[in-house]
Amino acid sequence: MTSDGARAPSFLEVWRPGGVEVVLLDGPTMTIGRDEGNGVVLDHDGQVSSLHAVLQSYGAGWAIRDLGSTNGTVVAGERLIAERALRHGDAIQVGSTRLVFRGPAGRSAPTTAPHRPPELTRRERDVLVALCRPLFSGAVFTEPATARAVATELVVSEAAVKQHLLRLYDKFDLDPASTRRRVELANAALQRGAVTPGELT
């Protein structure tokens, strides 16, 4: 809630080639697609359908539905089969474009200034960049790199990468009980500026 009692607005971070655009969600629906008539126009991305997906407001929150797009829509690493409620911080993959939903119900509601990234060693930064690189690869369904893939890219052992990841989970204050910490770490690294899109493309 804001100081006057109104609900804080929800918005999308749209990761375009030139940087991140913030799109306020202020109506009952918001469509995403390549055509100019959409609320979020992704005309730079040839893997996005003309009318790709729609976000729907339900008062207490937002949900997303794929509109029969050619390449599908992925939320938090899972391809949409039916309408899905969005949670603060959910990563949305539309074509090769990454979007992130920011809503007021999250544990860390959006603020005007994002959290600064924690202090990282040079090797931890290397691990984060390798972890996040697949998110900007242009592939349709992407998740962060596996520990094995990071180890291969950095020419180190998988055990060493796992040790770095454990320290990074701790530095980014991720829930130890979560089963999707790699995804959460990649999202946190991008959100807090520890890794920038320019380093990944």
Side-chain angles (χ1 to χ4, degrees), residues 12 55 61-64 75 84-88 90 92 101:
L12 282 179
L55 280 79
W62 287 80
I64 187 168
V75 178
R84 172 176 174 146
L86 288 170
R87 296 182 301 175
H88 174 76
D90 272 347
I92 304 164
F101 175 76

Side-chain angles (χ1 to χ4, degrees), residues 75-78 89-91 98 131-132 135 142-145 169 174 178-190:
V75 178
E78 297 177 6
D90 272 347
R98 173 186 173 84
L131 178 78
C132 296
L135 301 175
T142 52
E143 283 221 3
Y169 296 150
L174 300 179
S178 172
T179 59
R180 297 188 59 78
R181 284 194 295 178
R182 276 190 311 109
V183 174
E184 292 165 4
L185 176 60
N187 282 337
L190 288 163

Side-chain angles (χ1 to χ4, degrees), residues 148-167:
R148 178 175 295 178
V150 172
T152 300
E153 179 174 333
L154 300 181
V155 197
V156 295
S157 71
E158 191 173 343
V161 169
K162 287 179 177 177
Q163 286 301 311
H164 285 302
L165 287 173
L166 286 173
R167 285 195 291 274

